[in-house]
Structures are given as structure tokens and as C-alpha cells.
Amino acid sequence: MAFKEDHELHKRRFGRNLGLGLVLIGFVALVYGITVVKVGELYKPAAEASE
């Protein structure tokens, strides 16, 4: 028994959802990376931090 083919609207919606998901993952990765760098700066010794 074969499934019905997806309607064109569903294909476009899937494409938009996939694009938005990738953008959100990229944003989360960017915020995580900035947080790691900022927290890493907090734990440097004072002599290294002034350079």
C-alpha cells in the first residue's frame, strides 16, 4: 500500500522549517561559542588578562 504523495504546500513548508531549524542551530552555536570565550577570559591570571 503506497502513501499519497505530499502536497506542494507541505514540501515548501518543510523547506522553510528546515531552513529555520538550521538558522536556530547556528544561533545557538554562536551564543555558546561566545559564552565559552567570555567564561574562559574570567579564569585567566591577571598578568595574562592585561595583554
Side-chain angles (χ1 to χ4, degrees):
M1 181 174 181
F3 292 109
K4 285 176 44 175
E5 186 176 333
D6 283 340
H7 191 272
E8 187 260 334
L9 180 66
H10 293 127
K11 291 178 185 176
R12 281 192 288 158
R13 189 178 296 156
F14 176 76
R16 273 187 258 151
N17 288 343
L18 184 62
L20 181 61
L22 292 174
V23 167
L24 289 174
I25 289 172
F27 180 70
V28 168
L30 179 67
V31 170
Y32 179 77
I34 291 171
T35 302
V36 167
V37 169
K38 287 291 193 179
V39 169
E41 289 176 0
L42 290 175
Y43 293 107
K44 284 185 178 179
E48 290 180 17
S50 64
E51 292 179 17

